[in-house]
Amino acid sequence: GKWHMGVNCKSRHDHCHHPLNHGFDYFYGMPFTLLNECQGTDDPELAKSLQDTYWLYTQMIILAVLTLLIGKLTNLFSVKWKLIICLVICGLLYFITWFSSYGFTKYWNCILMRNHDIIEQPMNLEKTTSNMLKEAVSFIERNQHRLFLLFVSLLHVHTPLITTEKFQGRSSHGLYGDNVEEMDWMVGKLLDVIDKAGLKNTTFIYFASDHGGSLEARRGNAQLGGWNGIYKGGKGMGGWEGGIRVPGLVRWPGVLPAGTVINELTSLMDIFPTVVHLAGGTVPQDRVIDGRTLLPLLRGTVQHSGHEFMFHYCGVFLHAVRWHQKDRGAIWKAHYATPVFQPEASGACFGRGICPCFGDGVTHHDPPLLFDLSQDPSEANPLSADTEPLFNTITRRIGEAVEEHRSTLTPVPQQLSPYNNIWKPWLQPCCGTFPFCWCDEENNKA
């Protein structure tokens, strides 16, 4: 499915970020993310506001060239041809530089790989759902007689909400609901294969989302990014509950009791130590592992999650910290930074398309905004020293936990630096002779 970690570091074929270089034995899916551009829509998703700015400057250059040209030809003012030619060349270079990054996103970004080989560029979204499902089913069938780990990162329910004709109009909740219905059907198909292979009682299955609904994803008045209920905020917001609180579903018949609801806070980082535990291994001892195995909690041998504190980041910036004060049964959350909503009371950043993590789009809080999530899960009523007698004690303890946490961090290169985010032709995966990167190996074989 969707890997979203990229492919190369220094050359087109080094595959340093590829799944096969990070512990996986087989890969089928997208090395990047799914964007509106993959569907050929007129509503670009990648750096939309930046593209608008680039296009505005391009139009200004074109206008300047036309003005100088008309002035030269009509003798309205004296200008050298060298200046006009120089401006035309600079304008073309400027246009090519930014348009090569964004104008060809469908060809550069929307690709499908099997192991190290590109099999579709650009990918055929109409067949992606069936291809992904077919590959996952095939993997289970090939490995049913030995231990296996199958990680399926579905393209559902991500904009542009690819939904096959069979499921369009099935839901009363529009295209998003249709997409959820199709995802549910796909998961059901995978469970059927596991059951028919006789693996039902020996297979641990974990299903969860990676974040809350994207509130800014809209087409006209239609909401395309889901709904977060009573929780404030959404996708891309590192602190508000609407961006980070999602349910998890677990199935392991014969081992885990059915129908159990566990109201404890866990993390997707817990998957790693859980899988290591299941496989009979031990997690690395030479570093801090932030995850905790879920098995004692799921089996009921412990009543509380292994997490006392959870640190919620937006990019590399710590926005909020959660403290489960187990002796009181309280769950406190302190916000050190929150996004500035546009419009102010909208609960989202419609003006920007996605909420920023730093800069003028963020409000810093000192003392932090404090909420008692056990009483106020929608984070509507911030506490203060006047309304909460333990306010200073709680914020001080959370502050100490932040310092302890930061002492465990090792500095790494900034992934989201401007240089790391510009398109680099020499790293571009290409199934042909660059820049002619078009292929459809799947259909050619068929």
Side-chain angles (χ1 to χ4, degrees):
K2 185 174 68 169
W3 175 241
H4 201 165
M5 303 295 282
V7 184
N8 303 314
C9 286
K10 295 180 180 178
S11 73
R12 190 168 293 138
H13 302 293
D14 65 30
H15 297 131
C16 71
H17 295 308
H18 194 281
L20 299 195
N21 272 5
H22 292 275
F24 289 91
D25 301 312
Y26 181 80
F27 172 64
Y28 181 91
M30 290 188 75
F32 308 123
T33 190
L34 187 62
L35 298 164
N36 286 344
E37 285 88 338
C38 296
Q39 203 174 39
T41 176
D42 293 329
D43 183 26
E45 184 177 358
L46 190 63
K48 185 177 180 181
S49 59
L50 200 58
Q51 287 188 63
D52 291 340
T53 304
Y54 287 151
W55 180 235
L56 175 64
Y57 290 156
T58 303
Q59 290 174 312
M60 290 169 64
I61 294 171
I62 293 170
L63 185 61
V65 169
L66 290 175
T67 302
L68 292 175
L69 195 59
I70 292 169
K72 176 74 173 177
L73 295 175
T74 59
N75 294 317
L76 282 174
F77 47 82
S78 177
V79 61
K80 293 182 179 180
W81 281 110
K82 276 186 179 180
L83 178 62
I84 297 175
I85 293 169
C86 183
L87 191 58
V88 169
I89 292 172
C90 289
L92 277 171
L93 287 173
Y94 172 75
F95 175 75
I96 290 169
T97 299
W98 75 262
F99 194 78
S100 59
S101 295
Y102 301 112
F104 296 100
T105 298
K106 183 174 182 178
Y107 298 95
W108 299 151
N109 201 86
C110 308
I111 64 177
L112 199 59
M113 298 183 78
R114 177 182 283 110
N115 292 326
H116 289 136
D117 299 322
I118 299 172
I119 54 176
E120 282 186 6
Q121 189 173 8
M123 59 196 291
N124 184 345
L125 292 186
E126 292 178 4
K127 298 181 179 179
T128 301
T129 299
S130 60
N131 286 341
M132 293 280 187
L133 186 57
K134 193 187 305 178
E135 285 288 332
V137 169
S138 174
F139 181 86
I140 295 170
E141 291 173 346
R142 291 198 309 271
N143 293 279
Q144 61 181 303
H145 299 301
R146 59 179 182 174
L147 298 177
F148 67 83
L149 168 69
L150 172 61
F151 172 49
V152 183
S153 183
L154 298 166
L155 301 186
H156 299 54
V157 290
H158 192 290
T159 53
L161 297 178
I162 306 161
T163 309
T164 56
E165 191 175 348
K166 176 183 174 183
F167 283 90
Q168 290 176 13
R170 286 274 290 268
S171 165
S172 58
H173 295 283
L175 186 58
Y176 185 88
D178 296 343
N179 208 241
V180 171
E181 296 244 357
E182 185 163 34
M183 176 187 66
D184 181 66
W185 170 79
M186 292 174 73
V187 173
K189 285 289 184 184
L190 293 176
L191 296 181
D192 286 345
V193 173
I194 288 170
D195 293 352
K196 288 174 183 174
L199 303 174
K200 184 173 183 177
N201 292 336
T202 56
T203 305
F204 176 86
I205 296 169
Y206 184 96
F207 176 87
S209 176
D210 53 349
H211 53 68
S214 175
L215 303 179
E216 293 87 359
R218 291 174 176 266
R219 189 173 300 149
N221 293 323
Q223 171 67 30
L224 299 180
W227 180 64
N228 297 320
I230 66 169
Y231 303 114
K232 184 181 290 185
K235 175 185 176 180
M237 302 182 208
W240 294 120
E241 290 293 275
I244 54 180
R245 183 190 285 238
V246 295
L249 300 172
V250 178
R251 189 186 85 151
W252 194 2
V255 178
L256 303 179
T260 304
V261 177
I262 300 173
N263 289 308
E264 284 290 306
L265 296 157
T266 63
S267 165
L268 289 182
M269 291 187 290
D270 296 337
I271 295 174
F272 171 64
T274 301
V275 168
V276 171
H277 189 160
L278 284 168
T282 56
V283 297
Q285 301 297 307
D286 61 343
R287 71 205 71 179
V288 174
I289 299 297
D290 295 303
R292 302 284 186 271
T293 176
L294 294 171
L295 294 178
L297 188 64
L298 294 172
R299 284 175 166 151
T301 57
V302 299
Q303 298 305 307
H304 295 296
S305 161
H307 297 279
E308 181 180 7
F309 293 93
M310 298 181 82
F311 304 91
H312 302 301
Y313 281 81
C314 184
V316 297
F317 301 93
L318 181 66
H319 273 209
V321 179
R322 184 188 312 260
W323 178 27
H324 189 180
Q325 193 180 3
K326 295 169 186 174
D327 58 342
R328 285 191 55 184
I331 301 170
W332 309 103
K333 191 160 77 169
H335 288 262
Y336 293 98
T338 54
V340 177
F341 293 141
Q342 298 172 323
E344 190 175 339
S346 63
C349 300
F350 294 111
R352 294 175 180 261
I354 189 168
C355 287
C357 297
F358 62 96
D360 60 359
V362 165
T363 301
H364 293 274
H365 304 282
D366 186 15
L369 288 180
L370 183 68
F371 298 93
D372 180 357
L373 296 183
S374 55
Q375 304 295 323
D376 181 24
S378 60
E379 298 173 285
N381 304 300
L383 302 172
S384 66
D386 295 329
T387 58
E388 173 52 62
L390 296 175
F391 180 87
N392 291 325
T393 303
I394 295 163
T395 54
R396 184 171 58 252
R397 179 65 189 98
I398 292 175
E400 291 169 356
V402 169
E403 292 306 311
E404 293 169 17
H405 163 69
R406 284 185 169 144
S407 70
T408 70
L409 302 179
T410 303
V412 296
Q414 171 58 278
Q415 288 182 311
L416 301 177
S417 67
Y419 176 75
N420 284 336
N421 273 267
I422 62 171
W423 179 64
K424 301 177 181 68
W426 59 93
L427 298 183
Q428 176 62 51
C430 181
C431 61
T433 302
F434 184 83
F436 305 105
C437 306
W438 294 276
C439 63
D440 188 354
E441 296 298 327
E442 291 285 81
N443 287 334
N444 289 345
K445 285 179 182 176

PDB file of all heavy atoms in Angstrom, residues 318-321 334-338 362-366 368-369 395 398-399 402:
ATOM      1  N   LEU A 318       7.122  20.209  19.469  1.00  0.00           N
ATOM      2  CA  LEU A 318       6.254  19.628  20.496  1.00  0.00           C
ATOM      3  C   LEU A 318       5.086  20.578  20.754  1.00  0.00           C
ATOM      4  O   LEU A 318       5.285  21.697  21.212  1.00  0.00           O
ATOM      5  CB  LEU A 318       7.049  19.405  21.789  1.00  0.00           C
ATOM      6  CG  LEU A 318       6.273  18.768  22.938  1.00  0.00           C
ATOM      7  CD1 LEU A 318       5.874  17.340  22.599  1.00  0.00           C
ATOM      8  CD2 LEU A 318       7.101  18.799  24.224  1.00  0.00           C
ATOM      9  N   HIS A 319       3.869  20.136  20.457  1.00  0.00           N
ATOM     10  CA  HIS A 319       2.698  20.986  20.630  1.00  0.00           C
ATOM     11  C   HIS A 319       1.936  20.680  21.918  1.00  0.00           C
ATOM     12  O   HIS A 319       1.358  21.586  22.517  1.00  0.00           O
ATOM     13  CB  HIS A 319       1.763  20.839  19.425  1.00  0.00           C
ATOM     14  CG  HIS A 319       2.098  21.769  18.300  1.00  0.00           C
ATOM     15  ND1 HIS A 319       1.170  22.244  17.406  1.00  0.00           N
ATOM     16  CD2 HIS A 319       3.274  22.324  17.937  1.00  0.00           C
ATOM     17  CE1 HIS A 319       1.758  23.055  16.543  1.00  0.00           C
ATOM     18  NE2 HIS A 319       3.038  23.102  16.838  1.00  0.00           N
ATOM     19  N   ALA A 320       1.896  19.416  22.315  1.00  0.00           N
ATOM     20  CA  ALA A 320       1.090  19.077  23.492  1.00  0.00           C
ATOM     21  C   ALA A 320       1.654  17.846  24.197  1.00  0.00           C
ATOM     22  O   ALA A 320       2.354  17.029  23.579  1.00  0.00           O
ATOM     23  CB  ALA A 320      -0.363  18.825  23.090  1.00  0.00           C
ATOM     24  N   VAL A 321       1.335  17.729  25.479  1.00  0.00           N
ATOM     25  CA  VAL A 321       1.762  16.568  26.273  1.00  0.00           C
ATOM     26  C   VAL A 321       0.570  16.074  27.076  1.00  0.00           C
ATOM     27  O   VAL A 321      -0.182  16.864  27.660  1.00  0.00           O
ATOM     28  CB  VAL A 321       2.907  16.941  27.243  1.00  0.00           C
ATOM     29  CG1 VAL A 321       3.311  15.719  28.065  1.00  0.00           C
ATOM     30  CG2 VAL A 321       4.101  17.486  26.480  1.00  0.00           C
ATOM     31  N   ALA A 334      -1.592  19.273  28.312  1.00  0.00           N
ATOM     32  CA  ALA A 334      -1.082  20.645  28.264  1.00  0.00           C
ATOM     33  C   ALA A 334      -0.685  20.980  26.832  1.00  0.00           C
ATOM     34  O   ALA A 334       0.094  20.255  26.214  1.00  0.00           O
ATOM     35  CB  ALA A 334       0.128  20.784  29.188  1.00  0.00           C
ATOM     36  N   HIS A 335      -1.231  22.077  26.320  1.00  0.00           N
ATOM     37  CA  HIS A 335      -0.893  22.555  24.977  1.00  0.00           C
ATOM     38  C   HIS A 335       0.126  23.683  25.083  1.00  0.00           C
ATOM     39  O   HIS A 335      -0.156  24.728  25.687  1.00  0.00           O
ATOM     40  CB  HIS A 335      -2.139  23.099  24.267  1.00  0.00           C
ATOM     41  CG  HIS A 335      -3.108  22.053  23.838  1.00  0.00           C
ATOM     42  ND1 HIS A 335      -3.149  21.552  22.552  1.00  0.00           N
ATOM     43  CD2 HIS A 335      -4.084  21.397  24.520  1.00  0.00           C
ATOM     44  CE1 HIS A 335      -4.116  20.651  22.462  1.00  0.00           C
ATOM     45  NE2 HIS A 335      -4.688  20.533  23.647  1.00  0.00           N
ATOM     46  N   TYR A 336       1.302  23.482  24.496  1.00  0.00           N
ATOM     47  CA  TYR A 336       2.320  24.530  24.454  1.00  0.00           C
ATOM     48  C   TYR A 336       2.187  25.388  23.206  1.00  0.00           C
ATOM     49  O   TYR A 336       2.661  26.526  23.176  1.00  0.00           O
ATOM     50  CB  TYR A 336       3.718  23.906  24.514  1.00  0.00           C
ATOM     51  CG  TYR A 336       3.998  23.248  25.839  1.00  0.00           C
ATOM     52  CD1 TYR A 336       3.856  21.867  26.001  1.00  0.00           C
ATOM     53  CD2 TYR A 336       4.399  24.003  26.934  1.00  0.00           C
ATOM     54  CE1 TYR A 336       4.104  21.265  27.223  1.00  0.00           C
ATOM     55  CE2 TYR A 336       4.650  23.404  28.165  1.00  0.00           C
ATOM     56  CZ  TYR A 336       4.498  22.038  28.299  1.00  0.00           C
ATOM     57  OH  TYR A 336       4.740  21.445  29.514  1.00  0.00           O
ATOM     58  N   ALA A 337       1.566  24.850  22.166  1.00  0.00           N
ATOM     59  CA  ALA A 337       1.337  25.604  20.924  1.00  0.00           C
ATOM     60  C   ALA A 337       0.079  25.069  20.262  1.00  0.00           C
ATOM     61  O   ALA A 337      -0.180  23.857  20.276  1.00  0.00           O
ATOM     62  CB  ALA A 337       2.530  25.469  19.984  1.00  0.00           C
ATOM     63  N   THR A 338      -0.708  25.957  19.693  1.00  0.00           N
ATOM     64  CA  THR A 338      -1.924  25.564  18.982  1.00  0.00           C
ATOM     65  C   THR A 338      -2.006  26.335  17.671  1.00  0.00           C
ATOM     66  O   THR A 338      -1.565  27.492  17.589  1.00  0.00           O
ATOM     67  CB  THR A 338      -3.189  25.855  19.808  1.00  0.00           C
ATOM     68  OG1 THR A 338      -3.187  27.236  20.204  1.00  0.00           O
ATOM     69  CG2 THR A 338      -3.261  24.969  21.040  1.00  0.00           C
ATOM     70  N   VAL A 362       0.876  29.871  14.369  1.00  0.00           N
ATOM     71  CA  VAL A 362       0.800  29.125  15.623  1.00  0.00           C
ATOM     72  C   VAL A 362       0.783  30.099  16.804  1.00  0.00           C
ATOM     73  O   VAL A 362       1.488  31.109  16.790  1.00  0.00           O
ATOM     74  CB  VAL A 362       2.004  28.154  15.755  1.00  0.00           C
ATOM     75  CG1 VAL A 362       2.153  27.637  17.167  1.00  0.00           C
ATOM     76  CG2 VAL A 362       1.846  26.996  14.794  1.00  0.00           C
ATOM     77  N   THR A 363      -0.017  29.808  17.809  1.00  0.00           N
ATOM     78  CA  THR A 363      -0.032  30.572  19.063  1.00  0.00           C
ATOM     79  C   THR A 363       0.695  29.774  20.142  1.00  0.00           C
ATOM     80  O   THR A 363       0.379  28.595  20.360  1.00  0.00           O
ATOM     81  CB  THR A 363      -1.475  30.854  19.533  1.00  0.00           C
ATOM     82  OG1 THR A 363      -2.164  31.588  18.520  1.00  0.00           O
ATOM     83  CG2 THR A 363      -1.480  31.661  20.817  1.00  0.00           C
ATOM     84  N   HIS A 364       1.661  30.398  20.811  1.00  0.00           N
ATOM     85  CA  HIS A 364       2.396  29.734  21.901  1.00  0.00           C
ATOM     86  C   HIS A 364       1.758  30.102  23.237  1.00  0.00           C
ATOM     87  O   HIS A 364       1.313  31.239  23.426  1.00  0.00           O
ATOM     88  CB  HIS A 364       3.864  30.148  21.869  1.00  0.00           C
ATOM     89  CG  HIS A 364       4.585  29.648  20.654  1.00  0.00           C
ATOM     90  ND1 HIS A 364       5.156  28.398  20.598  1.00  0.00           N
ATOM     91  CD2 HIS A 364       4.801  30.218  19.445  1.00  0.00           C
ATOM     92  CE1 HIS A 364       5.704  28.221  19.407  1.00  0.00           C
ATOM     93  NE2 HIS A 364       5.500  29.315  18.689  1.00  0.00           N
ATOM     94  N   HIS A 365       1.727  29.142  24.154  1.00  0.00           N
ATOM     95  CA  HIS A 365       1.039  29.338  25.433  1.00  0.00           C
ATOM     96  C   HIS A 365       2.000  29.140  26.600  1.00  0.00           C
ATOM     97  O   HIS A 365       2.612  28.078  26.740  1.00  0.00           O
ATOM     98  CB  HIS A 365      -0.129  28.346  25.559  1.00  0.00           C
ATOM     99  CG  HIS A 365      -1.109  28.416  24.429  1.00  0.00           C
ATOM    100  ND1 HIS A 365      -2.063  29.397  24.339  1.00  0.00           N
ATOM    101  CD2 HIS A 365      -1.260  27.624  23.331  1.00  0.00           C
ATOM    102  CE1 HIS A 365      -2.788  29.202  23.235  1.00  0.00           C
ATOM    103  NE2 HIS A 365      -2.311  28.139  22.612  1.00  0.00           N
ATOM    104  N   ASP A 366       2.140  30.174  27.427  1.00  0.00           N
ATOM    105  CA  ASP A 366       2.963  30.111  28.630  1.00  0.00           C
ATOM    106  C   ASP A 366       2.271  30.921  29.730  1.00  0.00           C
ATOM    107  O   ASP A 366       2.256  32.141  29.685  1.00  0.00           O
ATOM    108  CB  ASP A 366       4.350  30.681  28.360  1.00  0.00           C
ATOM    109  CG  ASP A 366       5.290  30.503  29.548  1.00  0.00           C
ATOM    110  OD1 ASP A 366       4.960  29.699  30.447  1.00  0.00           O
ATOM    111  OD2 ASP A 366       6.338  31.165  29.570  1.00  0.00           O
ATOM    112  N   PRO A 368       1.013  26.781  29.770  1.00  0.00           N
ATOM    113  CA  PRO A 368       0.291  26.039  28.725  1.00  0.00           C
ATOM    114  C   PRO A 368      -1.215  26.009  28.972  1.00  0.00           C
ATOM    115  O   PRO A 368      -1.672  26.172  30.105  1.00  0.00           O
ATOM    116  CB  PRO A 368       0.889  24.630  28.825  1.00  0.00           C
ATOM    117  CG  PRO A 368       1.409  24.538  30.235  1.00  0.00           C
ATOM    118  CD  PRO A 368       1.866  25.906  30.591  1.00  0.00           C
ATOM    119  N   LEU A 369      -1.956  25.790  27.873  1.00  0.00           N
ATOM    120  CA  LEU A 369      -3.392  25.526  28.000  1.00  0.00           C
ATOM    121  C   LEU A 369      -3.540  24.143  28.625  1.00  0.00           C
ATOM    122  O   LEU A 369      -2.963  23.170  28.124  1.00  0.00           O
ATOM    123  CB  LEU A 369      -4.074  25.525  26.636  1.00  0.00           C
ATOM    124  CG  LEU A 369      -4.276  26.853  25.902  1.00  0.00           C
ATOM    125  CD1 LEU A 369      -4.978  26.589  24.565  1.00  0.00           C
ATOM    126  CD2 LEU A 369      -5.102  27.808  26.741  1.00  0.00           C
ATOM    127  N   THR A 395       1.149  21.353  35.788  1.00  0.00           N
ATOM    128  CA  THR A 395       1.968  21.904  34.695  1.00  0.00           C
ATOM    129  C   THR A 395       3.458  21.750  34.988  1.00  0.00           C
ATOM    130  O   THR A 395       4.251  21.514  34.074  1.00  0.00           O
ATOM    131  CB  THR A 395       1.625  23.383  34.446  1.00  0.00           C
ATOM    132  OG1 THR A 395       1.735  24.124  35.671  1.00  0.00           O
ATOM    133  CG2 THR A 395       0.219  23.534  33.891  1.00  0.00           C
ATOM    134  N   ILE A 398       4.342  18.032  34.283  1.00  0.00           N
ATOM    135  CA  ILE A 398       4.393  17.810  32.835  1.00  0.00           C
ATOM    136  C   ILE A 398       5.662  18.441  32.262  1.00  0.00           C
ATOM    137  O   ILE A 398       6.327  17.857  31.393  1.00  0.00           O
ATOM    138  CB  ILE A 398       3.131  18.374  32.150  1.00  0.00           C
ATOM    139  CG1 ILE A 398       1.900  17.546  32.554  1.00  0.00           C
ATOM    140  CG2 ILE A 398       3.293  18.374  30.632  1.00  0.00           C
ATOM    141  CD1 ILE A 398       0.581  18.082  32.023  1.00  0.00           C
ATOM    142  N   GLY A 399       6.025  19.629  32.752  1.00  0.00           N
ATOM    143  CA  GLY A 399       7.252  20.284  32.295  1.00  0.00           C
ATOM    144  C   GLY A 399       8.487  19.454  32.585  1.00  0.00           C
ATOM    145  O   GLY A 399       9.413  19.370  31.764  1.00  0.00           O
ATOM    146  N   VAL A 402       8.702  16.694  30.088  1.00  0.00           N
ATOM    147  CA  VAL A 402       9.197  17.187  28.794  1.00  0.00           C
ATOM    148  C   VAL A 402      10.722  17.232  28.797  1.00  0.00           C
ATOM    149  O   VAL A 402      11.372  16.803  27.828  1.00  0.00           O
ATOM    150  CB  VAL A 402       8.610  18.584  28.478  1.00  0.00           C
ATOM    151  CG1 VAL A 402       9.319  19.200  27.278  1.00  0.00           C
ATOM    152  CG2 VAL A 402       7.113  18.487  28.213  1.00  0.00           C
TER     153      VAL A 402
END
